[in-house]
Amino acid sequence: MKKALCVCIDSYKMVQDLHGCVNDANGVKAALERNGDGSLNFSVRIMCATSEESYISRGSLKDAVQELFEGESEIALFYYSGHGSYDSLGGYLCTSEVERIDDGLSLNDVMGLAAQSEAKNKIIILDSCHSGFASTSWDMPHYSQLKSGTTILAACDERQYAVEEHGSGVFTSLLIEALYGGAMNLLGDVTPGSIYAYIDRSLGDWEQRPLFKANIKSFVSLRKNVPPISINELRKITDIFVNPYDELPLNPTFEPDKHEATDKTVNKENEEIFALLQKYVRLGLVIPVGEDHMYYAALNSKSCRLTAQGQHYWNLVDKNTI
């Protein structure tokens, strides 16, 4: 069982309204609900404050977070988009009724509810100003150490602001891109770690810096996308390369386009291997040796070899872990 709570607060009573949070939460909900092949993924509950009639109070938000983390589940994921604030004691998620910076739901309360959860994986994703307090505050009891299975992904550090552009949070726009495949591995899986890496690479040095903190034994997949290569094709890497470090000799029989070749011999088996090698090249698993392109490596009887990533996947296949 995988469940997610997506909370977005655009409408506030006493502080300036926001305009992109509802778009953000709906985008995250859509990305989490189903995998790339259309199969069910997360069961998602969404809470949106878009007007005075739909205000979200501190009490209702705390109740919803508590319900999310209650009981046993494979993953319990909390996503928040809205104003954030802080004082000398830590950070806060600003709910609709806030009048001062220490109103709203304390991040210490959120961390406390996650710490008590029986969920195997507790994932907290915050797109709010000063959200880095979820991972760096020092004097509140639930921050001293993350409980096993807990992951925090925050839009910015504790002193920064989370930026909105074009009706959406910059952080959440990248998060959604990552979920839809920008951060997937060759098996199609998107993990919290790969999401962080994708967002971190996408932001410039002078922009908000995302924060990541985790106490986990292994990464869990948040979404399964259609992989860029089939498992059967990927597993053939150990058939083509006897070991992960040797070079594979090539010759003109590998290349089906022989108009520049002096040797016109046709070898269908080699051509099939070469077609798969070309796919490996596009995925960063293989590179030609002695030539810039595989075409000329074949025509000039050079070779190709596995990249570091290719060696990694060779070892995974060899160990029968994929």
Side-chain angles (χ1 to χ4, degrees), residues 213-273:
K213 189 174 184 179
N215 178 7
I216 54 176
K217 295 180 180 178
S218 62
F219 281 124
V220 64
S221 179
L222 298 185
R223 191 175 195 268
K224 183 81 171 180
N225 294 284
V226 177
I229 186 171
S230 72
I231 296 297
N232 288 336
E233 288 179 318
L234 185 57
R235 288 188 57 81
K236 288 180 181 179
I237 198 168
T238 55
D239 296 330
I240 296 174
F241 292 89
V242 177
N243 69 62
Y245 306 109
D246 283 352
E247 295 179 6
L248 175 69
L250 300 173
N251 60 61
T253 66
F254 282 86
E255 174 54 61
D257 179 5
K258 303 187 189 319
H259 74 278
E260 294 186 61
T262 55
D263 182 355
K264 307 292 186 180
T265 304
V266 175
N267 185 318
K268 290 297 183 182
E269 182 180 353
N270 280 357
E271 289 180 8
E272 290 176 3
I273 292 172

Side-chain angles (χ1 to χ4, degrees), residues 161-176:
Y161 296 94
V163 178
E164 277 190 355
E165 285 184 357
H166 311 300
S168 185
V170 170
F171 170 84
T172 296
S173 294
L174 294 170
L175 167 66
I176 293 170

